[in-house]
Coordinates of all heavy atoms in Angstrom, one line a residue:
G82 N 36.0 -14.3 -46.5 CA 35.1 -13.6 -45.5 C 35.8 -13.6 -44.1 O 36.2 -14.6 -43.6
A107 N 47.7 -10.2 -47.5 CA 48.8 -10.6 -48.3 C 48.6 -12.0 -48.8 O 48.8 -12.4 -50.0 CB 50.1 -10.4 -47.6
M109 N 45.7 -13.5 -49.1 CA 44.6 -13.6 -50.0 C 45.0 -13.3 -51.5 O 44.6 -13.9 -52.4 CB 43.5 -12.5 -49.6 CG 42.7 -12.8 -48.4 SD 41.6 -11.5 -48.0 CE 41.5 -11.6 -46.2
S123 N 31.9 -1.8 -36.3 CA 32.1 -0.4 -36.5 C 32.6 -0.2 -37.9 O 33.7 -0.8 -38.2 CB 33.1 0.1 -35.4 OG 33.6 1.4 -35.8
E195 N 18.1 -31.2 -43.8 CA 17.6 -31.4 -42.4 C 16.4 -30.6 -42.1 O 15.9 -30.8 -41.0 CB 18.8 -31.1 -41.5 CG 20.0 -31.9 -41.7 CD 19.7 -33.4 -41.6 OE1 19.0 -33.8 -40.6 OE2 20.2 -34.2 -42.4
S231 N 2.6 -13.0 -36.5 CA 3.0 -12.6 -37.8 C 4.1 -13.6 -38.3 O 4.4 -14.6 -37.6 CB 3.7 -11.2 -37.8 OG 2.7 -10.2 -37.3
I250 N 6.5 -16.5 -54.7 CA 6.8 -17.0 -53.4 C 6.2 -16.1 -52.3 O 5.8 -16.6 -51.3 CB 8.4 -17.1 -53.1 CG1 8.7 -18.1 -52.0 CG2 9.0 -15.7 -52.9 CD1 8.3 -19.5 -52.2
P273 N 12.7 -2.7 -57.4 CA 11.5 -1.9 -57.5 C 10.3 -2.6 -56.9 O 9.4 -3.1 -57.7 CB 11.4 -1.6 -59.0 CG 12.0 -2.9 -59.6 CD 13.1 -3.3 -58.6
E319 N 44.1 6.8 -60.1 CA 45.1 6.7 -59.0 C 44.5 6.2 -57.8 O 43.4 6.6 -57.3 CB 45.7 8.1 -58.7 CG 46.8 8.0 -57.6 CD 47.4 9.4 -57.4 OE1 46.7 10.4 -57.5 OE2 48.6 9.4 -57.0
S361 N 36.8 0.3 -54.0 CA 36.0 -1.0 -53.8 C 34.5 -0.8 -53.9 O 33.8 -1.5 -54.6 CB 36.4 -1.6 -52.5 OG 37.8 -1.9 -52.4

Side-chain angles (χ1 to χ4, degrees):
M109 289 177 209
S123 163
E195 299 304 314
S231 301
I250 202 66
E319 183 178 28
S361 299

